[in-house]
């Protein structure tokens, strides 16, 4: 039964993928939709292969920004969550600002960050960190606050110090909520990076999507969008794999 469910979970998205793109291909051919308006999937996939040398430097830039910002956001989010849930004064001081960062569309802050930091990679990475760490922080706070009191009392009765209690009990207990935040942060990191590249600089997939759209090279623009999707899927897949390996007791 378990193998059957795994097979279904694998085949279902593959079949739906083939169905959607087949219908897309047929609709473009039957209605003779011009390429500059909506290219066929086969034309997009061909561009992804043929124009790959042109796309590759921009793929690297986007992936570097997403990965660097994401990896910085994880420890920052966890550290702040630990402080916020451990010290009421820190919670009162920082929680409103963290909520502000989560609820405010970051695209509205990009011009200010560009003014202060320029158009380089540091500004892009900083933007990704700001958007990603807050999501990790809020989910980690939920996990830390939901740790059963009886577990804390058990660790205290065994004479465990705060650091050992945090590493051996608090983190494992909150792991599911933490990984939920990390998965969301990976999505936020990718979308934020592309949003920044729309507005800053001439490198990265976001800037290329805008450039190709302006010249009505819609096929190449869609190819860049597909590469962004692949980056997001890679990030999400790596996190899901890490979650299965780390939270093995949930299996």
């Amino acid at each position: 039964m378990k193998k059957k469910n795994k097979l279904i979970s694998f085949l279902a998205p593959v079949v739906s993928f083939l169905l959607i793109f087949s219908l897309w291909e047929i609709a473009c051919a039957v209605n003779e939709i011009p390429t500059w308006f909506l290219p066929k999937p086969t034309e997009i996939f061909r561009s992804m292969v043929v124009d790959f040398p042109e796309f590759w430097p921009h793929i690297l830039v986007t992936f570097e920004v997403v990965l660097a910002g994401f990896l910085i956001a994880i420890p920052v989010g966890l550290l702040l969550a630990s402080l916020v849930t451990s010290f009421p004064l820190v919670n009162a001081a920082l929680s409103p600002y963290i909520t502000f960062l989560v609820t405010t569309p970051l695209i509205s802050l990009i011009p200010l960050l560009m003014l202060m930091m320029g158009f380089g990679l540091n500004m892009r990475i900083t933007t990704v960190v700001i958007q990603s760490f807050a999501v990790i922080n809020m989910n980690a706070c939920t996990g830390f606050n939901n740790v059963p009191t009886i577990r804390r009392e058990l660790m205290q009765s065994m004479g465990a110090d705060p650091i050992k209690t945090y590493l051996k009990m608090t983190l494992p207990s909150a792991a599911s909520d933490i990984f939920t935040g990390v998965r969301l942060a990976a999505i936020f990191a990718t979308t934020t990076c592309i949003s920044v590249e729309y507005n800053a600089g001439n490198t990265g997939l976001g800037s290329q999507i805008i450039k190709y759209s302006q010249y009505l090279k819609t096929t190449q623009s869609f190819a860049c969008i597909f590469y962004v999707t692949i980056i997001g899927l890679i990030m999400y897949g790596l996190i899901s794999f890490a979650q299965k390996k780390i939270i093995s007791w949930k299996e």
Side-chain angles (χ1 to χ4, degrees):
M1 188 66 180
K2 191 174 181 181
K3 289 183 178 180
K4 183 179 179 181
N5 290 335
K6 285 185 177 181
L7 182 62
I8 292 174
S9 64
F10 172 77
L11 289 178
V14 173
V15 172
S16 61
F17 173 87
L18 294 175
L19 179 62
I20 290 170
F21 282 94
S22 297
L23 292 175
W24 181 353
E25 184 82 18
I26 293 170
C28 288
V30 171
N31 296 291
E32 298 182 352
I33 299 176
T35 300
W36 62 265
F37 182 74
L38 181 65
K40 299 175 183 176
T42 51
E43 295 172 341
I44 298 171
F45 295 141
R46 181 178 179 278
S47 176
M48 291 176 71
V49 175
V50 173
D51 300 324
F52 181 76
E54 183 179 345
F55 297 145
W56 177 241
H58 302 285
I59 295 171
L60 284 180
V61 170
T62 297
F63 189 70
E64 177 185 350
V65 172
V66 170
L67 187 62
F70 176 72
L71 292 178
I72 294 172
I74 293 175
V76 171
L78 289 178
L79 176 60
L80 281 178
S82 302
L83 294 174
V84 165
T85 54
S86 299
F87 304 100
L89 181 61
V90 177
N91 180 36
L94 297 182
S95 288
Y97 300 101
I98 295 172
T99 303
F100 168 78
L101 291 174
V102 172
T103 56
T104 302
L106 199 65
I107 194 169
S108 63
L109 302 177
I110 290 175
L112 296 176
L113 292 171
M114 289 168 56
L115 183 64
M116 292 185 291
M117 303 183 66
F119 296 85
L121 292 183
N122 289 339
M123 185 276 292
R124 302 182 194 185
I125 292 172
T126 300
T127 308
V128 171
V129 172
I130 292 173
Q131 186 73 83
S132 301
F133 95 89
V135 180
I136 297 173
N137 174 270
M138 294 191 73
N139 282 272
C141 285
T142 300
F144 292 155
N145 287 326
N146 289 337
V147 174
T149 305
I150 191 172
R151 296 184 185 179
R152 300 183 188 276
E153 294 174 347
L154 178 61
M155 294 298 290
Q156 291 175 358
S157 67
M158 297 175 63
D161 58 68
I163 295 178
K164 184 173 290 187
T165 299
Y166 179 78
L167 295 176
K168 298 293 185 179
M169 186 275 296
T170 305
L171 275 180
S173 298
S176 294
D177 289 301
I178 291 172
F179 269 104
T180 298
V182 170
R183 284 200 303 271
L184 289 172
I187 298 171
F188 274 72
T190 305
T191 55
T192 300
C193 178
I194 298 304
S195 298
V196 176
E197 290 174 349
Y198 282 160
N199 298 275
N202 297 314
T203 58
L205 291 172
S207 67
Q208 299 308 295
I209 293 171
I210 294 296
K211 184 188 79 172
Y212 289 126
S213 298
Q214 290 173 339
Y215 290 99
L216 296 181
K217 294 183 176 181
T218 313
T219 302
Q220 288 84 349
S221 184
F222 267 96
C224 290
I225 293 172
F226 281 17
Y227 276 123
V228 172
T229 303
I230 291 172
I231 290 175
L233 290 174
I234 290 172
M235 296 287 292
Y236 193 90
L238 289 174
I239 295 163
S240 298
F241 176 78
Q243 181 175 2
K244 289 181 180 180
K245 292 299 181 181
I246 293 173
I247 315 181
S248 57
W249 63 88
K250 291 286 186 179
E251 295 293 329

